[in-house]
Amino acid sequence: MFTALALAYLLPPLICWAFLARTRAVGAAVLAVLAALALAPAGLEQEWYFTRATAEIEAGYPVAAGLVVLAGALVERRLRGPRPERQYDHPVAGSTVALTAHALVGVVIALGYGLFAFDAFVPSAAEVSVPPGLTVTRSTEGHCGSNFCSRTLTLGSTAGLPAAEVEARMRAALTADGWTPGRDGALLRPHGWLLDPRLSTAYLHGTELELSGSESAAAAR
């Protein structure tokens, strides 16, 4: 369920454009693009999908939305000419301030991820791509310890493969997907992309795949 804070983050570009739009066609088109942009962080909030670029989407949303509003305003200016002097009052000034503040929130989020995103996390089952012939028959809710969180996936084979073969195929699939060998047979991959420095770790024991989410290396030092 969305919180008031999440809505306050998603809605400002749409509200500002509602005040700024001057034409029906461009206004509707820009509003549709803004709504589509808002669905990206909303989907992350609702866990509709998984992506390693979570931090980038959340931090980049206000910047992208602001650029869309600017593009819409420029297109309308080309179509209808400069905005009449009387329209430069509160709607334009207020929307400009609101969008600038909104973009600064994105910058703060980006800095927060880069400097403070050190908490352990429960990895999503969607972090692993199960190869053809294997299935996930069970996934635990996940739990957290002192400096890590984990969940366990139980793997099955549609062809009735033995546990050793299931493990070998899953390990090969993870390696091909960018997971790298770590200590004690673990496989490691950055949880995020550029801004989120935390690590995801996979431990394979036959048909059991344990995923853990740990703090970043920077925080551990």
Side-chain angles (χ1 to χ4, degrees), residues 100-207:
T100 301
H102 198 231
L104 289 176
V105 171
V107 172
V108 171
I109 291 175
L111 291 174
Y113 265 108
L115 298 175
F116 306 112
F118 299 141
D119 292 339
F121 61 96
V122 177
S124 168
E127 287 208 41
V128 296
S129 300
V130 179
L134 300 185
T135 60
V136 176
T137 60
R138 178 175 173 270
S139 174
T140 62
E141 290 297 324
H143 67 279
C144 291
S146 58
N147 61 354
F148 76 98
C149 298
S150 68
R151 75 165 70 238
T152 300
L153 309 181
T154 301
L155 304 173
S157 167
T158 57
L161 296 175
E165 182 65 20
V166 170
E167 178 179 340
R169 291 197 178 191
M170 191 69 229
R171 186 176 295 276
L174 291 174
T175 302
D177 200 30
W179 296 70
T180 58
R183 291 182 296 180
D184 302 323
L187 293 171
L188 309 174
R189 189 178 71 172
H191 174 65
W193 185 36
L194 295 175
L195 299 178
D196 190 341
R198 295 174 296 178
L199 294 174
S200 295
T201 306
Y203 301 92
L204 278 161
H205 307 284
T207 59

